[in-house]
Amino acid sequence: MIVVNMAMKQDDVIAILEANGYKFVEKKGIRLFFEVAGDLAAKATEAKTLIKAQPWGMALYFNVEVVK
């Protein structure tokens, strides 16, 4: 499972990641939890890249982490 920690644009991030095969599980405050298959570290890096590729992505403060 990976977690995206961000305060803004949460709905947009959920939509982008779900469109790319990530399964949204739950939201706890600023934490968005996603289930993914495969290498978790690689998927976390991919999620970060997908978010930064958006026109608004570079302006956001966020991080992506792997949780078990």
Side-chain angles (χ1 to χ4, degrees):
M1 183 173 294
I2 65 166
V3 178
V4 178
N5 298 301
M6 66 182 340
M8 299 176 69
K9 294 284 195 180
Q10 290 182 335
D11 292 335
D12 293 330
V13 168
I14 291 169
I16 290 162
L17 294 183
E18 283 188 323
N20 285 280
Y22 294 73
K23 181 182 177 207
F24 177 67
V25 177
E26 68 178 319
K27 174 182 169 182
K28 289 185 180 177
I30 66 168
R31 302 182 81 185
L32 304 173
F33 292 83
F34 294 89
E35 285 187 5
V36 293
D39 181 17
L40 293 178
K43 289 293 189 175
T45 301
E46 179 185 50
K48 192 172 187 177
T49 302
L50 288 168
I51 295 167
K52 284 187 174 186
Q54 303 309 306
W56 41 261
M58 294 299 288
L60 295 178
Y61 176 75
F62 71 96
N63 73 344
V64 181
E65 61 184 311
V66 174
V67 295
K68 295 188 182 206

